[in-house]
Amino acid sequence: MPKTWWEREAIVYQVWPASFADSNNDGFGDIPGIISKLDHINSLGANTLWVSPHYASPRIDEGYDISDYKAVYPPFGTMEDTERLIRECHQRGLKIIFDLVINHTSDQHAWFKASRSSKSNPKRDWYIWRPAKYDDKGNMLPPNNWRSYFNESAWTWDEHTQEYYLHLFCKEQPDLNWTCEDARKQIYQDAIIFWLEKGINGFRVDTVNMYSKPMDFPDAEVTDSDNPYQPAHSLFCNGPEMPKYLREISAIFDKYDAMTVGELPSTPDFKQVLRYIDPNDPQLSMVFSFDHVSLDRGEGQHFYLRSWKLPELKNAIAHMQTFVRNSSPPAIAATYLENHDQPRSISRFCPAAQTPEETKRAGKMLAMFQTAMSGAQFIYQGQEIGMTNFPDTWGPHEYKDVDSLNYYNYVVAHSGDDTSKPGEVLKKINRIARDNARTPVQWSSAQPYAGFMAPSQGGEGKQLHKPWMRINDNYKDGINVEDQVHDPDSVLAFWKQAIAMRQARPALFVHGTYEPLDHENQHTFSFLKRAEDGKGTVAYIVLNFSEKQQTFTLPTELQGRKVELLMGTQQKVHLQEHRLGGYEGRIYVAS
Ligand code: TEU
C-alpha cells in the first residue's frame, strides 16, 4: 500500500482552542493564539496539528454542538484567522486536521430549527423523531429506555410538534438521521468538502460508529437498576449501515489524500474495529480505541469508578498494539494517553505521584511509555509539560463540562437530606472528569494567568476578563513551558528527546512489533519492541509505575548480546545496575 503522508509517522498534537492560548485577553483561547504557538508545537517534533471544534456553536458541549459547520466560533476568531492558521501550518511543514462532528448538530443549527418547525417541513426527516409511548396508567414515556452519554433520557419531548427527538448526547445535540440521503449529501458538502477545499489534511472523526441506529429503537437491557434510563451502546454503535456511510465519506477523503482518525467507543471486539481500518478496504486511516482509558470506569454510569491493577493496563496496551496485526498488511494503531475527554495521564496512571518531583518523573516515564509504542502518536496540549488533574478540593462551580455537571446535579437531586453526598461525588467526578483536560495551558509562571492570557486592563467601560476556566495553581511549581524550555531535565525536554528517538528508529518504535513481558508484575511495566529489519534489532522497555525502587533483570532475549542503554528518564543511570528509582524508565537496545 503506498506510503501516504500520515502513515504511521504521524506525530499529532491536539489543541483544545478554548484553553490553549488567548491572544486578545478575553478569557478564551483563540486561533491567533494557536498561530502564536506553532513554533512550540513544531519544536516538539510534532508534524500534524489537530484542532478540536472551532466552529460556530452555543458550546453546551464545548463545541461538539455545531450550529454552522461553515462558520468559526466568534470568540475564537474569524474565517480569515482560520485560513491563516492553515497557511502558517503548511509553511512550517505541519499538516492540519479538524474535528468532524456529524452524528449530531446543535439544536440551534438551521437544519434542526427547520426540522422542528413542523412535521411537514422538508427537513423533518433530517433528524430522528418518534411519537411518545404510554404506560398502563396513561403516563407519557419516551420511545425507549435509552440513556444519553450525559446521564439523561436520550429523548426530549417537543411540545410544538408533539413528538420526541433522539439525542445520544445532551438535548442540545439532536442526532442526525443518516438514513436520509439528502441530509447526508448536505453534511458531506458543509462539514467535509468545505474544509478540505480550504486545504486541511484530514479529520478526527467524532463518534464515528454511531451513525447507523436500529430504526425500530428497541429498549436496552436493564443493567443499571438505579437509573430509569439504560446504556444502549451495543444497540447504537457499529450498526449495519456503517460500512455504507463510511464508504461514501472515504470516497471524498481519497480525493484529497486526507488522513482520518475515528473515535470508536464501546467496541471491545477488535474484529469489529478492524472492519473500519483494514488497509485492504479502509474506511478510515486509523481509530482510537478505549481499552486503556476505561480501566477506572465502572459498569453503568461512567462516573462509577473502579480500581485497577497494572496487569490490566498491560492487557489493554497489548490489545491496542497487537490487534492491528490481524490484517495483512497491518493496520495503523493510534497511540494516545490523553485527550479533551480524559483526565491527565500522570494523575490517572500514576495516582501516587503527588510532589512536583514525583509528577515530573512520572511525566517523563509516561512520555517514554507512549513514544515507545508503535503506530501514530497523539499528544494532547499540556501533556508535554506534565500537566496534572486539578485538586479534588475545587468546588462544583469550577467544573464547566456538561458531563460532570449533569452527573453532579443528578446525585445532588437524589441525595435527599444526606448532605455528605455532593462532596463525596465531586471527589469521584474529579478523578476522571473531562474538566481536568480543559484547564488553560500553563505557558509561564507569570501571575495571575500562567501566560494563558495577560491580565486585561479593564479601565473605561472595558470589562475585566479572566480565563473561562480556572488555571491549575501548580503552574507556579515549574509545570509551565517557560520554566521547562531551557531545562534539559524537564518533562518538555524529555518529550522532545523521546520523539526524536522514536523518529530516528522507525523500524523499532514506529513499525516494530510489540511483545509483552512479566505480565503479573504489579509495579513494573516491561515489553519488547522488535524491528522487522532483518537484523534482529530488539528494544527492551522497562518502566517503574510505582513511587518505590524496583529491580529488574534483562530478558533472556538480550542476554549474551551487545546491549546499549538507548535512553533513560533519569540522567544518572548505570547500565549494570538493574534498579529503577520511583517512576523511572529505561530503554535498552540489542542489535
Ligand atoms: O465523545 C464521544 C464518546 O465516545 C464519549 O464516550 C465521550 O468519550 C464522552 O467523554 C462521554 O463522557 C465525543 C467527543 O470526544 C466528546 O467531547 C463529545 O462530548 C461527544 O463526542 C459528543 O460529540
Side-chain angles (χ1 to χ4, degrees), residues 61 64 104 149 204 206-207 263 265 302 340-341 403 434:
D61 183 17
Y64 282 92
H104 47 271
Y149 271 94
R204 173 265 187 187
D206 193 60
T207 63
E263 184 208 24
H302 58 234
H340 63 288
D341 284 339
D403 196 13
R434 306 192 301 183

Side-chain angles (χ1 to χ4, degrees), residues 346 350-363 386 388 474 477 479 547 583:
I346 292 172
C350 302
Q354 292 297 323
T355 66
E357 175 56 26
E358 285 170 335
T359 56
K360 172 176 164 180
R361 291 169 75 102
T388 67
N474 63 14
D477 305 329
I479 301 182
E547 71 281 13
Y583 304 118

Side-chain angles (χ1 to χ4, degrees), residues 14 16 50 61-65 99 101 103-104 149-150 168-170 173 204 206-207 209-210 233 263-266 290 297 302-303 339-342 401-403 434 438:
Q14 179 191 357
W16 175 263
W50 158 19
D61 183 17
E62 306 304 343
Y64 282 92
D65 47 322
D99 228 300
V101 187
N103 173 69
H104 47 271
Y149 271 94
F150 298 139
L168 299 184
F169 292 91
C170 54
Q173 293 171 290
R204 173 265 187 187
D206 193 60
T207 63
N209 58 341
M210 298 187 192
H233 315 128
E263 184 208 24
L264 200 80
S266 314
F290 281 66
R297 291 178 184 268
H302 58 234
F303 282 110
N339 62 39
H340 63 288
D341 284 339
Q342 305 301 333
D401 178 18
V402 62
D403 196 13
R434 306 192 301 183
R438 301 173 182 189

